[in-house]
Amino acid sequence: MHPREIRARAREQHLAGRTVAEVARGLNLPYPTVWHWCNDRPNPRRHGTELRCFRCRDDVDNPTDPNSHAYLLGLYLGDGHLVTSSRVPVLRIYCTNTWPNLIDACEQAMTAVLAGSVQRVQKQGCVGVQSYGTHWPCLLPQHGPGRKHERPIVLAGWQREIVAAHPGDFARGLFHSDGCRVANRVTVRGRQYVYPRYLFTNESADIIGLCQWALDLLGVAWRMKRRNSLSVARRDAVATLDRHVGPKS
């Protein structure tokens, strides 16, 4: 490895107006080496996860954007996956092609919370919205081997504080991932009635419990249809979720 002084001298000469080739000849160094020194500038976005990780920096007391943090947590618990086995951890959230605005919202939440860059990877019938970042595991400690419903899902104390302060955003993330707003049709004495309701389905009893908790914080009445399926059907409860969640689009 070349001494730091030589690299600094090469950059100074290049910034002074000399070409990379002239600098390389003057220092008797290979052209590719000097080009790399002179063109590989520090990129603030590349190190953005470290600068924005409030769990690791004493000078950052709160999440960058708590509303987006709560929303992204809900999306992650539903359709997200955090890979930590690669050199750089990568957060992936899978969104169906049917809802382009949801894909945009997912990307915006990642960027607001931590991501320096976000990629979209087209899969069959869905898009993998993903972001590489060393500090994603700091903000999503629920990651682990195996499926979520096969292991405990418990929020850290600081996560519970965020959700308690922003339950609507958290519920929106959950329903945008594993929930839906549907038109329910019933027939009473030969007359058909149509009314909206929200459904949330997840195989994890812990995640179902977190959804119930968020709805309780919002004052939304709910009931369990099955062990893995929750329903919100009362008119006032649906109206509240319409304000916080709304249909996917």
Side-chain angles (χ1 to χ4, degrees), residues 219-221 233-241 243:
V220 171
R234 286 178 49 176
R235 181 179 299 178
D236 58 339
V238 170
T240 299
L241 282 191
R243 292 195 300 271

Side-chain angles (χ1 to χ4, degrees), residues 20-41:
V20 172
E22 290 172 342
V23 175
R25 285 195 299 268
L27 297 176
N28 195 27
L29 293 169
Y31 178 91
T33 300
V34 176
W35 185 94
H36 176 74
W37 291 347
C38 295
N39 289 280
D40 188 22
R41 295 281 184 265

Side-chain angles (χ1 to χ4, degrees), residues 161-179:
E161 292 179 3
I162 293 174
V163 173
H166 306 278
D169 295 292
F170 180 63
R172 184 163 60 96
L174 290 175
F175 279 93
H176 279 185
S177 57
D178 281 344

Side-chain angles (χ1 to χ4, degrees), residues 58-133:
D58 294 335
D59 57 334
V60 180
D61 297 328
N62 299 299
T64 306
D65 186 327
N67 300 81
S68 294
H69 196 113
Y71 177 61
L72 185 63
L73 176 60
L75 289 178
Y76 165 73
L77 292 179
D79 291 326
H81 180 50
L82 180 57
V83 180
T84 58
S85 56
S86 57
R87 185 174 63 88
V88 179
V90 55
L91 171 63
R92 294 190 179 101
I93 296 177
Y94 296 96
C95 307
T96 178
N97 292 331
T98 309
W99 316 117
N101 289 336
L102 172 56
I103 297 172
D104 291 341
C106 178
E107 178 175 341
Q108 292 165 7
M110 283 188 180
T111 303
V113 171
L114 190 72
S117 63
V118 179
Q119 302 83 41
R120 299 185 184 190
V121 181
Q122 184 64 57
K123 304 288 185 179
Q124 185 174 0
C126 69
V127 173
V129 183
Q130 66 179 34
S131 170
Y132 288 85

